Amino acid sequence: MKNRAVPSRITYHASRLPFHVSRPRALIGLTLLIVMSSLAVAHAAPPPPPPPLPPEEPSSVPEPPPEGGRIRLQIQFPETLSYQWQDLWTVVQWNDHGDCSNPKGTWRDVEGWPGSLDEIVTQADGTVVGRKTWWVAEDDLGKGPFRWRVYRRAGGWLLVQSEAFDLPARKGQMVTVEVTLRP
């Protein structure tokens, strides 16, 4: 008789496991395990934010200001003001020099130069001053006469009007016109 080697085969039978698990219970357990794992991940702390980027270096030399000049209105406010300074509306007008029928000329609004104040500053002596500044093209330097008008609001009543002035005569020059509001 020949010795035949019988391959060893290890088999497990459900009755030999220390516990019995049915398929539906195994699926429920596996599902609970997956759900609990995802909840644990959902409650984990968020990742830290990325570090801030370093400030950008200017890529080129800043452009020089355009050739021309500036006009600035300075409005001195009274100690008591019965309205909001933010509502004030400024307009620059020019005189067309008139003709034979109107030798004094007509004052006309300069297109593009109406607007609210740019800033309010308190000077060292405590005086409150509002400012409006406009750029003047090089081709317009030295022209005049002009005047500022300050209204209660756009389309509102006139509060104060400046004396006539000419635009700056030279490049880089600023002409400042001062007016005072009355209470």
Side-chain angles (χ1 to χ4, degrees):
M1 182 159 120
K2 290 185 182 176
N3 274 348
R4 266 204 230 166
V6 177
S8 74
R9 197 186 304 179
I10 300 175
T11 59
Y12 292 97
H13 191 272
S15 64
R16 292 186 185 161
L17 291 175
F19 55 88
H20 177 70
V21 179
S22 65
R23 265 192 195 183
R25 285 186 183 169
L27 288 176
I28 290 171
L30 184 59
T31 304
L32 284 173
L33 181 63
I34 292 171
V35 168
M36 296 302 281
S37 298
S38 64
L39 287 176
V41 170
H43 289 298
L53 297 174
E56 289 187 25
E57 295 287 328
S59 59
S60 64
V61 176
E63 289 186 36
E67 298 293 331
R70 297 199 180 332
I71 59 171
R72 172 178 281 169
L73 172 67
Q74 287 197 165
I75 304 172
Q76 183 174 340
F77 289 99
E79 290 182 21
T80 59
L81 193 61
S82 60
Y83 44 83
Q84 297 290 321
W85 64 265
Q86 296 92 333
D87 294 336
L88 296 179
W89 191 251
T90 67
V91 174
V92 178
Q93 293 185 323
W94 62 281
N95 189 290
D96 66 8
H97 297 295
D99 56 23
C100 293
S101 63
N102 182 10
K104 291 186 177 184
T106 302
W107 288 98
R108 303 179 187 280
D109 293 354
V110 177
E111 288 185 35
W113 279 0
S116 57
L117 296 177
D118 296 328
E119 64 180 342
I120 297 291
V121 295
T122 303
Q123 297 179 336
D125 64 358
T127 305
V128 178
V129 175
R131 293 183 181 152
K132 179 67 178 179
T133 305
W134 290 111
W135 175 76
V136 177
E138 186 175 2
D139 292 344
D140 293 327
L141 294 176
K143 291 183 180 177
F146 288 82
R147 70 181 180 190
W148 287 91
R149 298 187 98 193
V150 180
Y151 295 91
R152 170 68 181 82
R153 66 174 52 87
W157 65 88
L158 179 65
L159 296 175
V160 68
Q161 174 177 290
S162 76
E163 296 292 323
F165 66 92
D166 289 336
L167 298 179
R170 297 180 312 278
K171 293 189 276 187
Q173 184 181 17
M174 181 183 303
V175 170
T176 301
V177 177
E178 296 180 2
V179 296
T180 301
L181 290 180
R182 303 285 176 226

